[in-house]
Amino acid sequence: MSSPRPAAARHDAAPTPAAAPHGAAPEGAAMTHREILRALSGLLLGMFAAILSSTIVTNALPHIIADLGGGQSAYTWVITATLLAMTASMPLWGKLADLFNKKLLIQLALIIYITGSVIAGLSQNSATLIGVRVVQGIGVGGLAALAQIIMAAMTTPRERGRYGGYFGATFAAATVSGPLIGGVITDTPGLGWRWCFYIGVPIAAVALVVLQRTLKLPVVRRKVRIDWLGALLLSGAVSLLLIWITLAGDSYAWASWQTAVMTGGSVLLGLLFVLAESRASDPIMPLRLFRDRTITLSSLASLFVGIAMFSGTVFFSQYFQLARGESATMSGVMTIPMILGLSLSSTVSGRMISRTGQWKNWLVAGGLLISSGMLLLGTIRFDTAYWQVAVFMTLLGLGIGMMMQNLVLASQNQVQPSDLGAASSVVNFFRSFGGALGVAALGAVLANRVGQYTRDGLAQLGVDPGDGVVAGGGIPDLSQLPDPLRGVLETAYGHGVGDVFLFGAPAAVLAFVITLFIKEVALRGSQQAPQASGTASS
């Protein structure tokens, strides 16, 4: 049993506690280890469904986009749309968690996720699928933000490393099983890729029931004003930037009036967002949090970690299926080394951090491993020995596992309980934004590089590139191509994916450098943050 936790700090009027549900601990009293595990089971089911919705589709995407008649841009946006919605909505979910009933909020996120998943499975074209993935992303953003916030509300910072290991294991399990399940479903006659969206629905429904029965948190009511203007400006700034990155170099030149308008508009909306947050009574992203050096640097590091994390899960499927000719199922099997590395490092680092209270060395080691993995993956080609690719993926997975959860943990350690939602969501926001930015930018790089390599290869064969086989206009079905053309496309995708990792490597190096400057503060054994932290007391 954990020690009693102090009551949360209040900003406004005194809270009015709701009637405690039967079996719930009194307000301010800590939950027992057994109660935490029971509630955690519902959170983990919700997290599993959310992660599954992203990973299960990666190996099916070449088939989905080919079936719906989309191209590389659509391929990228099926992923980016979810990341964009998740990124834009996460700060709002986090702020709402500081103001309203966390249990009802996570149940609402599950319902939104279920609705989006069902409609996504019914999509008849890529535009519809991309639009519905936005709805899915809003639900996933709520699940990703609220699961960690609720866990933080139930435990002390020192205990969170221990329970964070369960989140790491769940992340790994969903990431391992997702591509495998998606590959099997896609390759199984009578099922097909649409079931990749349906399969998460019953899991999310079970999570709803479990959370209703097990999650017992005290309700704190406050007079609040939701910062809708801040949410709108933030969403607009992020969306405009990602749309520009995705379309630049394809629909218009990088140096063009469209680039000037979209980047200028994104910067203007960003500045207006900062102005709005400085004046809002309850901002979705309190600027005072950034007075704390640990939160600021952890957010920057998360931005660059997101690029590495999502590039690994998104582009490996194209590498194994289009460069090496593997099936969707085998593509999932071949990514297991990265996931095993992630699972091992997140679980071990979480337990060791709970035992010692020290976390910085794990962040530095993780940054070094991610940088090494990305640089080495930048050397892969279509004929690179698989054992080498497996080693490189393992390094990447080990590094991500050491950094992903622990950057959030370091930030949570700096704030009062009343700011847990905002602080957690800030770090998660930057990681998701980095992922969305990375997928959009690196997807554009891949389309450009594959197109160039394909044209060069066709020229060597004496084939006119205008015949329609140049990659970038669509995702090719390699089984329908004659051997010489198939060899050109496999080479192009092998080189192109390698270039993607090489272009993403500087972001990983920056994440490593940033962790060197984060000042370590030993994890607390109570909920209350020291007043000197300068974040929650301001």
Side-chain angles (χ1 to χ4, degrees), residues 29-397:
M31 296 173 65
T32 66
H33 176 63
R34 177 171 178 157
E35 289 171 336
I36 291 173
L37 286 180
R38 289 180 61 200
L40 204 61
S41 64
L43 296 178
L44 295 179
L45 280 172
M47 280 291 293
F48 185 85
I51 298 165
L52 194 70
S53 70
S54 298
T55 60
I56 198 172
V57 78
T58 53
N59 286 330
L61 264 181
H63 296 269
I64 294 173
I65 299 304
D67 191 23
L68 297 181
Q72 180 65 50
S73 179
Y75 185 105
T76 300
W77 266 101
V78 169
I79 301 293
T80 306
T82 302
L83 291 176
L84 172 60
M86 180 174 70
T87 300
S89 66
M90 198 174 287
L92 183 59
W93 283 110
K95 189 59 184 179
L96 291 174
D98 287 334
L99 306 177
F100 296 111
N101 189 314
K102 298 176 179 64
K103 178 176 177 177
L104 292 180
L105 285 173
I106 197 167
Q107 289 176 320
L108 176 61
L110 282 165
I111 291 171
I112 294 173
Y113 164 78
I114 290 171
T115 303
S117 297
V118 171
I119 300 176
L122 301 173
S123 300
Q124 298 300 313
N125 55 67
S126 57
T128 301
L129 179 59
I130 291 169
V132 178
R133 290 281 285 177
V134 172
V135 177
Q136 234 184 351
I138 293 173
V140 171
L143 293 171
L146 294 168
Q148 291 185 333
I149 292 167
I150 291 172
M151 183 189 73
M154 295 189 297
T155 61
T156 67
R158 188 67 175 265
E159 294 172 321
R160 282 173 212 154
R162 174 187 183 186
Y163 293 109
Y166 295 120
F167 278 91
T170 300
F171 183 91
T175 311
V176 168
S177 60
L180 290 173
I181 294 172
V184 171
I185 288 175
T186 303
D187 292 339
T188 301
L191 291 179
W193 59 263
R194 296 183 188 276
W195 280 94
C196 292
F197 298 104
Y198 298 146
I199 197 170
V201 172
I203 300 174
V206 172
L208 266 174
V209 175
V210 172
L211 287 170
Q212 179 62 33
R213 294 175 61 89
T214 63
L215 187 57
K216 313 290 183 182
L217 289 176
V219 178
V220 178
R221 296 191 180 96
R222 295 170 48 198
K223 292 182 179 180
V224 298
R225 295 182 63 184
I226 300 175
D227 182 21
W228 295 113
L229 177 60
L232 180 63
L233 290 172
L234 179 62
S235 301
V238 171
S239 301
L240 202 55
L241 183 62
L242 291 176
I243 292 171
W244 165 67
I245 290 176
T246 303
L247 300 179
D250 182 18
S251 300
Y252 47 80
W254 287 95
S256 63
W257 68 266
Q258 291 96 332
T259 291
V261 169
M262 298 180 81
T263 55
S266 181
V267 171
L268 177 61
L269 289 173
L271 293 174
L272 291 175
F273 168 73
V274 173
L275 179 63
E277 294 304 274
S278 67
R279 298 183 175 184
S281 57
D282 268 308
I284 61 170
M285 191 179 290
L287 300 182
R288 57 186 165 78
L289 292 178
F290 294 102
R291 298 174 190 167
D292 187 284
R293 177 178 173 180
T294 298
I295 293 177
T296 300
L297 293 179
S298 294
S299 298
L300 285 174
S302 291
L303 175 73
F304 297 117
V305 169
I307 295 175
M309 181 174 73
F310 286 101
S311 64
T313 56
V314 170
F315 297 111
F316 275 133
S317 62
Q318 286 185 287
Y319 173 72
F320 287 118
Q321 292 183 56
L322 300 178
R324 302 182 76 105
E326 301 290 348
S327 67
T329 302
M330 279 306 299
S331 177
V333 172
M334 297 176 87
T335 57
I336 285 179
M338 184 183 75
I339 308 308
L340 289 179
L342 191 156
S343 176
L344 177 65
S345 63
S346 64
T347 303
V348 172
S349 66
R351 289 189 172 276
M352 292 301 295
I353 288 171
S354 282
R355 182 177 302 174
T356 65
Q358 308 298 313
W359 43 264
K360 180 171 179 177
N361 288 339
W362 292 100
L363 292 183
V364 173
L368 184 60
L369 287 170
I370 291 178
S371 301
S372 301
M374 290 288 285
L375 288 168
L376 290 170
L377 285 167
T379 67
I380 64 173
R381 297 294 181 259
F382 78 100
D383 57 352
T384 302
Y386 173 70
W387 71 266
Q388 291 179 290
V389 180
V391 171
F392 304 160
M393 287 192 296
T394 301
L395 293 175
L396 180 61

Side-chain angles (χ1 to χ4, degrees), residues 148 164 167-168 400-410 431:
Q148 291 185 333
F167 278 91
I400 292 173
M402 291 179 188
M403 295 192 75
M404 185 176 62
Q405 294 290 106
N406 295 328
L407 285 168
V408 178
L409 179 61
R431 185 177 68 218

